[in-house]
């Protein structure tokens, strides 16, 4: 079964979203995403089918869209398919891989990098930036010191989880 995706279909979809009490910004985004699909189909002179849908999603990936953005567009398309009764079309969300500990550790600045940033900001007389760099450097160094004091290897934990682990080691606080 194939189906064209016309501007009339999109207007009906928009009305459906408004009648469904979908938030205005969500409705706008869904309509914008379905228009992207319609534009793709018209450029390819294709109708809406499983093959054309797969090609559209592949084109997004090839165009450099992040997995999170593609998943958002997929949610819009799923909503349209539900509205249009297109149970024959399937699009699965992409798996979004979380960064590993190793990637987080590599993204930390070294003392030399902090010093270089600080020198540059001072040379540019950007004192607001100087202050921010100092705050980040001191916070990073102090968090590492606290981790060592608590018996936690700061190079083997996610920076965002480090504070939580430090609090757990000093207080009887539980986190989900």
């Amino acid at each position: 079964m194939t189906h064209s995706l016309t501007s009339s279909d999109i207007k009906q979809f928009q009305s459906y979203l408004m009648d469904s009490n979908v938030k205005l910004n969500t409705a706008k985004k869904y309509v914008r995403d379905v228009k992207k699909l319609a534009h793709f189909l018209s450029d390819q002179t294709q109708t809406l089918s499983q093959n054309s849908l797969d090609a559209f999603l592949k084109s997004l990936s090839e165009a450099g869209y992040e997995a999170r953005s593609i998943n958002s567009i997929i949610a819009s398309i799923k909503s349209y398919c539900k509205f249009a009764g297109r149970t024959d079309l399937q699009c699965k969300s992409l798996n979004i891989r979380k960064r590993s500990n190793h990637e987080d550790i590599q993204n930390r600045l070294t003392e030399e990098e902090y010093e270089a940033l600080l020198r540059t900001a001072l040379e540019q007389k950007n004192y607001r930036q100087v202050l921010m760099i100092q705050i980040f450097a001191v916070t990073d160094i102090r968090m590492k010191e606290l981790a060592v004091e608590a018996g936690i290897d700061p190079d083997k934990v996610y920076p965002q989880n480090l504070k939580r682990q430090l609090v757990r080691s000093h207080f009887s606080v539980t986190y989900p």
Side-chain angles (χ1 to χ4, degrees):
M1 174 179 175
T2 58
H3 170 72
S4 296
L5 184 53
T6 65
S7 58
S8 174
D9 294 330
I10 295 171
K11 286 179 185 172
Q12 289 175 3
F13 177 56
Q14 186 173 14
S15 295
Y16 160 79
L17 292 172
M18 297 314 235
D19 293 343
S20 301
N21 293 324
V22 173
K23 290 185 180 180
L24 180 61
N25 287 337
T26 302
K28 286 180 180 179
K29 192 214 177 307
Y30 279 17
V31 168
R32 193 171 51 247
D33 291 343
V34 172
K35 283 181 180 178
K36 280 182 193 173
L37 174 60
H39 180 74
F40 173 83
L41 294 173
S42 68
D43 282 352
Q44 305 293 318
T45 61
Q46 295 183 18
T47 56
L48 184 55
S49 65
Q50 187 63 54
N51 287 338
S52 64
L53 182 57
D54 292 342
F56 172 67
L57 295 175
K58 184 178 178 185
S59 76
L60 294 175
S61 181
E62 290 170 352
Y65 279 72
E66 297 278 334
R68 197 172 278 137
S69 298
I70 294 172
N71 284 341
S72 178
I73 293 169
I74 287 172
S76 303
I77 293 169
K78 284 181 177 180
S79 181
Y80 174 78
C81 289
K82 179 181 175 185
F83 156 75
R86 294 297 308 269
T87 57
D88 59 313
L89 299 177
Q90 302 293 319
C91 48
K92 294 181 181 175
S93 298
L94 304 176
N95 287 329
I96 300 175
R97 184 182 71 86
K98 289 189 176 184
R99 295 185 328 173
S100 69
N101 286 347
H102 184 67
E103 289 169 317
D104 277 343
I105 291 166
Q106 286 181 330
N107 290 332
R108 288 185 185 162
L109 295 177
T110 64
E111 281 186 53
E112 293 80 20
E113 290 169 324
Y114 276 122
E115 289 171 7
L117 286 171
L118 194 56
R119 273 194 309 276
T120 303
L122 284 169
E123 288 168 4
Q124 295 174 352
K125 297 183 180 181
N126 187 338
Y127 300 112
R128 176 181 274 174
Q129 196 172 42
V130 168
L131 181 60
M132 293 303 295
I133 292 166
Q134 289 174 329
I135 290 169
F136 290 133
V138 169
T139 302
D140 192 33
I141 292 166
R142 185 62 186 138
M143 289 303 294
K144 288 177 184 177
E145 290 171 354
L146 289 171
V148 171
E149 288 174 18
I152 300 168
D153 183 356
D155 292 331
K156 294 194 176 175
V157 294
Y158 286 101
Q160 64 266 26
N161 289 337
L162 183 56
K163 289 179 187 175
R164 185 178 290 178
Q165 289 188 20
L166 290 170
V167 169
R168 281 185 184 155
S169 69
H170 290 290
F171 304 101
S172 298
V173 177
T174 56
Y175 291 90

